[in-house]
Amino acid sequence: MDDRELVFLGAARQAELVRAGKVSARRLVEATLRRAERLDHLGAFRVLLAERALAEADARDAALAAGGPGADGPLLGVPVAIKDELDVSGEVTTFGGAANLTPAAHDAEAVRRLRDAGAVIIGKTTMPEFGQWPFTESAAHGYARNPWNPTRTTGGSSGGSAAAVAAGLAGAALGGDGGGSIRIPAACCGLFGLKPQRGRVPTAPHPHLWYALGTIGPLTRTVLDSALLYDVLSGPAEGDRWTARPARTSFVHAASTEPGRLRIGYSATPAVFGVRPHPEHVAALDDTVRILRELGHDVREVDPRYPDTTAAFVAQFCGGVRAEAAAVERPELLERRTRSTLRLARPVSGAVVERAVRAGERLAARAGRCFAGADLLLTPTLAAQPRDVGALDGVGPVGAMVRSLPMIAYTALWNVTGHPAASVPAGFGSDGLPLAVQLVGREHQETTVLQVAAQLEAVRPWAHRTPGP
C-alpha cells in the first residue's frame, strides 16, 4: 500500500491496520506529516506537532508490541488534528488569533479521550478568530483553502480541520459547531460532519461552548469514522452545563445497522429569511429524496414552519465571543473586526444571554413541529456553493454577517434548539465542488441520523473520490 492510499483510508481502517500489525503507527504518522508539509499551501494547520507526533506514534507501536495497556485502542495510531479552540497540552490555544501566548497546561477533555483511545495528535488547525464566521480566514493565520479548488473557501469555522481530512493530512479532525461550523466545512470539502446533541461531548475545561449553541465533534471521511470517534468522545464530564441522554446503542453499532422504514420529511426552504438556495443544492436534495424512497423510506415534502431563532442565536453569539475575548492575554492584538463585534455586543448583558438560553430551550420544543410527524428532516446543508477565498476581506462584522447568511441558512437553527444534525455528501456541482444535504434528527437521536447517513454512503460512496495530487 503506498502512502497516498494509506492517508486516505480514514480513521477506522487506519486503526484496524495498526492493531493488526500491518502498518506501524510511525509509518502512518510519517506519511501523514510528509503530505501535510507538502500541501502546506492549503493553510489547514496553524502548527504541525511533528516531533511530538512521531514520539507518540513510537509509544503506540511499543504498547502494541508489548501487548499491554493501550495496545487495543479503537483509534490506535490514527493521526488526528485538533481545531485551535481546544486545548492541547504544551501548545498555545490561539482561537484563530494572535492574542494568546501561553501554552495550555493540560489537554481539553475531548483531546484527552482521543489520546486514551490511542490517537496521535498531529497538529492544531486554523479557524477564524473565535470561530465567528463560516469562512476560515484570519489576520494572524491567513486563509484555509479548499482541497477541491484552492481558490475557494473551506467554509468555517472548522475549515482547517475539514481541509486536513479532505486532503489526507489527518485520519480525522476535531471541530466545533456553534452555528454550523462542523457541517458547513464538511459540506464545502466533501466530508461527513455530525453536530451532536447538545451535551453529548464535554466541553471541559469550560462549562459550555458559546453557551447553548456550541458542540464539539469530528469531521471524517466516512460515517463509520465519525461513529467511532463519537463512541470515544461521548459521555459527561465534571462541570458540564448540559448533558445529553445516553444513546440507545453505540454509535458504531448504529452506523452498521439498518434503520428499517422511516418517515422522512424534506424541504428546500431556508430557515433564514431572504436567502434563496442555489439550484444545484436543490437538485442534490431532490436526488437524495429519490434514493431514500428507493431504500424503502416514506419521504414526503413538508412545510417546516421554522421558529424564528434569530434573537436567541445573536445574543448567545455575542455572549460567547465576549466570554472568549475576555480570557485572552493580549486583547489589544485582537482583529479589528473582532473588536468591532465586541463593541456591538456590549449592550448584550449576561442577563440577556441567559434569557436567550432559556428562549432556545422553548424553541427546541416548538421545533418539534418541523418534523411534521417524521423521524428525520432532510434539507440542503448550504444555500450556496463555496465562494472565493477572501470572503472577509475589507468588511466589518455587519458585512461578514451578510456574507455568512447563505452558509448558515439551514444550520444555525439547530444550534439554538440543540438537535443533532449532519452534513452528508451528495455528489458534486458543475464547478467540481462538493454538494451536500443535511439530516436533522429528533432530540438525542444521533443514532437515527447515522443509520440513514450510512445508507446514503453505501449508495454513493463519497470517500472513494479524493482531491488533488
Side-chain angles (χ1 to χ4, degrees):
M1 182 181 302
D2 64 25
D3 282 359
R4 192 180 194 284
E5 183 180 0
L6 182 61
V7 298
F8 278 115
L9 289 176
R13 183 62 177 145
Q14 286 175 342
E16 181 183 331
L17 291 176
V18 172
R19 283 195 304 272
K22 296 180 179 179
V23 173
S24 69
R26 184 177 183 92
R27 185 196 162 195
L28 176 57
V29 171
E30 282 180 334
T32 304
L33 289 170
R34 280 195 298 269
R35 187 169 175 83
E37 290 164 357
R38 182 162 62 85
L39 298 181
D40 178 66
H41 65 278
L42 293 176
F45 286 96
R46 198 270 300 172
V47 61
L48 274 174
L49 307 177
E51 290 187 11
R52 289 184 63 181
L54 289 171
E56 202 166 347
D58 288 341
R60 302 291 184 244
D61 288 333
L64 182 64
D72 59 351
L75 296 173
L76 188 66
V78 176
V80 177
I82 307 295
K83 186 180 181 182
D84 209 6
E85 65 185 354
L86 301 172
D87 291 346
V88 171
S89 64
E91 301 299 325
V92 177
T93 304
T94 73
F95 294 98
N100 268 350
L101 304 172
T102 302
H106 306 286
D107 287 338
E109 176 64 14
V111 176
R112 184 194 67 78
R113 292 182 182 189
L114 292 176
R115 288 197 205 270
D116 285 353
V120 174
I121 307 304
I122 63 162
K124 304 201 75 180
T125 58
T126 50
M127 59 182 289
E129 192 162 60
F130 301 128
Q132 295 171 77
W133 314 112
F135 310 104
T136 301
E137 303 174 8
S138 76
H141 309 298
Y143 305 140
R145 296 177 178 273
N146 196 312
W148 295 97
N149 181 342
T151 70
R152 301 289 194 93
T153 183
T154 59
S157 64
S158 306
S161 290
V165 178
L169 317 184
L174 278 194
D177 193 316
S181 290
I182 288 172
R183 289 160 289 159
I184 292 166
C188 289
C189 296
L191 301 174
F192 179 73
L194 167 66
K195 180 196 84 69
Q197 174 70 34
R198 177 189 301 137
R200 180 68 64 197
V201 178
T203 55
H206 309 292
H208 59 78
L209 178 63
W210 278 18
Y211 293 88
L213 299 180
T215 59
I216 295 168
L219 292 103
T220 62
R221 299 198 62 77
T222 70
V223 177
L224 180 60
D225 288 349
S226 188
L228 182 64
L229 266 77
Y230 273 118
D231 277 338
V232 167
L233 294 166
S234 297
E238 184 176 354
D240 287 349
R241 181 165 177 178
W242 286 279
T243 301
R245 290 200 302 264
R248 54 189 171 87
T249 184
S250 79
F251 293 113
V252 166
H253 182 263
S256 309
T257 306
E258 292 290 322
R261 190 171 191 261
L262 298 177
R263 297 166 300 169
I264 301 173
Y266 76 94
S267 175
T269 303
V272 172
F273 178 75
V275 173
R276 179 177 296 179
H278 189 288
E280 290 192 352
H281 288 276
V282 177
L285 175 70
D286 291 340
D287 186 57
T288 305
V289 168
R290 175 189 60 78
I291 292 171
L292 290 170
R293 285 173 174 159
E294 290 175 355
L295 288 167
H297 299 297
D298 178 5
V299 188
R300 303 181 184 184
E301 187 169 14
V302 298
D303 176 4
R305 295 181 295 157
Y306 296 120
D308 185 356
T309 60
T310 305
F313 180 86
V314 171
Q316 291 179 79
F317 169 89
C318 290
V321 173
R322 189 172 54 213
E324 291 181 344
V328 301
E329 299 166 77
R330 298 284 302 278
E332 72 276 13
L333 297 180
L334 292 173
E335 291 181 7
R336 178 182 299 179
R337 184 170 39 247
T338 298
R339 296 198 299 272
S340 296
T341 300
L342 293 171
R343 286 193 292 271
L344 292 172
R346 194 174 295 138
V348 184
S349 66
V352 170
V353 174
E354 289 300 328
R355 284 199 295 273
V357 171
R358 294 192 294 275
E361 291 169 349
R362 293 192 296 273
L363 288 165
R366 288 177 56 195
R369 69 188 187 188
C370 295
F371 293 87
D375 301 293
L376 293 169
L377 178 66
L378 175 71
T379 74
T381 304
L382 306 175
Q385 279 295 77
R387 63 185 296 157
D388 290 345
V389 296
L392 300 179
D393 288 357
V395 298
V398 175
M401 289 175 188
V402 171
R403 294 183 182 185
S404 298
L405 289 178
M407 306 296 278
I408 68 168
Y410 294 99
T411 59
L413 161 73
W414 307 110
N415 294 84
V416 175
T417 67
H419 287 70
S423 181
V424 183
F428 290 82
S430 58
D431 58 3
L433 292 171
L435 300 170
V437 294
Q438 179 178 231
L439 281 171
V440 186
R442 292 185 173 275
E443 289 183 285
H444 305 277
Q445 295 299 315
E446 294 100 319
T447 50
T448 306
V449 175
L450 289 167
Q451 286 177 311
V452 175
Q455 286 187 308
L456 291 171
E457 180 182 41
V459 173
R460 46 187 184 205
W462 55 79
H464 293 177
R465 185 169 173 179
T466 56

